[in-house]
Structures are given as structure tokens and as C-alpha cells.
Amino acid sequence: MAWIDVGIAIAAWVVSVLLLLFVPVIYALPYMIYRIVKAGAPSPEALMADKMLIFFSVAGILPTHMLTFVLVWAIVSYAGRRPFWKNIDFGWPQNSSHAMTTTVSVVVAIVLFSLAFAITMFYGERKTDLDLLIESSIYTRVVTAFVAVVTAPLIEELVYRGLLYKAIERAAGVAIAIVVVSLLFAGVHVFQYRNNLAVIAVITLLSITLTVARAVSGKVLPAFIIHLVFNGIQSVLIVLGAFVDKDILK
């Protein structure tokens, strides 16, 4: 039964990745059709430089995350027949107060972000695909920051440190669960940051930290707080960066 749960969890993960690949494209499709009808078929270069197309593609991550949540909810709660948040272990650790858990999680996030910032400053000069997307327009910058804070930490933690980790831990133990989940989370981000090894190293470090936090606390919530604060700091810098890059405001 435990390995059946692992199979279901991995299948759900695969579906979540496929949703992330295809839903944003479908979401941006009406704009693409409008553009073709209005001005004819654009060249690949023109599509890559189209600021509104980039915006709609990034905004399409929001419905992607909503569909992913429904998928995870249906699996964990048996379509509403049992409590969702309890069965995915999204709660406060029993051996620590709420204040202590929050404080430790925030401190870990700040230390982790500081380390990540130092690594990318010294070794991560190359711009990633995400950097190019963010710099395309102020609208894309804002929606990227919104997704990074409002939906990404919750959905990613439910999939990786919730559904996947719990199933693998039960079947193969804590150590295997930490390794597999950390690699899966980092691996999904490799293509996005493929030209910058420093950023890939940072994502891997973040993934390991989040998964270890899940293992040590026995709950998803501490990992969620770390992820939320880490992304929150990054999102503030993303939005403030628009005022540094004056061209993006034009």
C-alpha cells in the first residue's frame, strides 16, 4: 500500500509539471490568436520579444497553481471525504510553540537568502530565463512577484513536502525521502536556470533546507514559512528593481 501511494504521488507530480508546461501556453493562446488575426503570423523572434505574450504566459501560472491545488486536494482528501490539511501534515509542530516555529523559520529563510544572494553576486553573473522574463515589462515583474508570494510557496510545498515527501517517507524512510524530494524540486527548476550554475546551486540548497525542515519538524508548515519569506524577500527586490531599471517603466 505504501508503494502504491508513492506511485500516486509521483504521478501527481508528473501531472503538476505537465500543467506548468501547458496551461500557461493555453492561457496565452487567445492573445496569440488576436495578434495573428491583427498583424499576421509573427516570427519566432517577434514572439520572444512580445511583452504582452510574456506577461500572459507568466500570469498563466496562477490557473496552473489552482488546478494543481485541486489535484492534490482530491488525492489527499479522497475528494473531500477526509480532512485535507490534517492528512497532508500542514500544521504546527507538536514539540514547539507557534512563536518559536515562526521565528526559527523566518531566521532560517533570512540566513538562506543572504547566503543565496552572496553566491549569486560572486558567481552568478549570467542572466537566467527568469531574469529576462522579469525585465520584459513592469506588468510581468509584478505578476511574477505576486505568484512567487501568493501561490508558489503553498502549492510547491503541498506537492513536494506534503504529498511526495509523506508517501516516500512511509515507503522508504526519511533519508530517501529527503534526497528524492530535494532532487525533484531542484530538478524542475534546472531548465529555467540552466545557464547559471550558481542559481542552480542556490535552488538546490533551498530545496534541501525545505525538505530537512519538513523532516525535522514532521510538518509542512515550517517549510512553507521558510519558502514564503525567502520568496517574499526576492519579490520585494523584483518589484523595487523596476525603479532601478528605468527602461522597464516605459
Side-chain angles (χ1 to χ4, degrees):
M1 183 64 181
W3 286 106
I4 292 176
D5 290 340
V6 172
I8 293 172
I10 291 177
W13 171 74
V14 171
V15 172
S16 73
V17 173
L18 292 175
L19 288 174
L20 197 57
L21 290 174
F22 292 108
V23 172
V25 175
I26 296 171
Y27 188 81
L29 191 59
Y31 171 76
M32 292 178 66
I33 294 173
Y34 163 77
R35 172 167 176 163
I36 292 172
V37 170
K38 183 179 179 181
S43 65
E45 293 76 15
L47 284 177
M48 293 292 292
D50 190 317
K51 294 183 178 182
M52 288 306 298
L53 179 59
I54 294 172
F55 167 77
F56 283 121
S57 298
V58 175
I61 297 175
L62 290 170
T64 301
H65 283 167
M66 286 187 279
L67 289 172
T68 303
F69 178 83
V70 171
L71 172 67
V72 175
W73 172 84
I75 293 172
V76 173
S77 71
Y78 293 172
R81 292 193 294 273
R82 67 178 187 175
F84 172 71
W85 300 105
K86 178 181 178 180
N87 283 283
I88 205 167
D89 291 335
F90 195 92
W92 297 100
Q94 296 180 351
N95 57 351
S96 176
S97 67
H98 297 183
M100 180 60 69
T101 298
T102 303
T103 301
V104 172
S105 300
V106 170
V107 170
V108 169
I110 293 172
V111 171
L112 187 61
F113 187 87
S114 300
L115 181 59
F117 184 79
I119 292 173
T120 52
M121 280 290 291
F122 286 104
Y123 302 104
E125 295 181 358
R126 288 187 178 181
K127 289 186 177 181
T128 65
D129 290 350
L130 180 60
D131 293 325
L132 298 176
L133 290 177
I134 290 171
E135 293 173 2
S136 64
S137 72
I138 182 62
Y139 311 107
T140 301
R141 190 176 285 263
V142 171
V143 76
T144 300
F146 181 85
V147 168
V149 174
V150 177
T151 62
L154 176 62
I155 300 306
E156 291 179 350
E157 291 313 309
L158 291 179
V159 171
Y160 289 91
R161 261 62 64 172
L163 185 63
L164 273 171
Y165 179 87
K166 187 169 185 176
I168 297 172
E169 182 197 26
R170 285 180 172 178
V174 173
I176 298 297
I178 291 175
V179 171
V180 173
V181 172
S182 297
L183 290 176
L184 287 177
F185 181 84
V188 166
H189 295 82
V190 166
F191 181 79
Q192 189 177 29
Y193 304 117
R194 62 190 180 279
N195 64 332
N196 194 318
L197 293 178
V199 177
I200 292 175
V202 166
I203 292 297
T204 303
L205 178 61
L206 172 64
S207 181
I208 293 171
T209 302
L210 293 173
T211 312
V212 170
R214 166 67 165 101
V216 171
S217 67
K219 299 291 182 180
V220 179
L221 188 56
F224 166 72
I225 296 173
I226 295 170
H227 201 158
L228 178 66
V229 174
F230 186 95
N231 280 18
I233 299 171
Q234 189 175 36
S235 296
V236 169
L237 295 178
I238 287 173
V239 174
L240 291 179
F243 299 97
V244 176
D245 186 3
K246 301 298 182 181
D247 291 337
I248 205 172
L249 296 174
K250 294 179 181 179

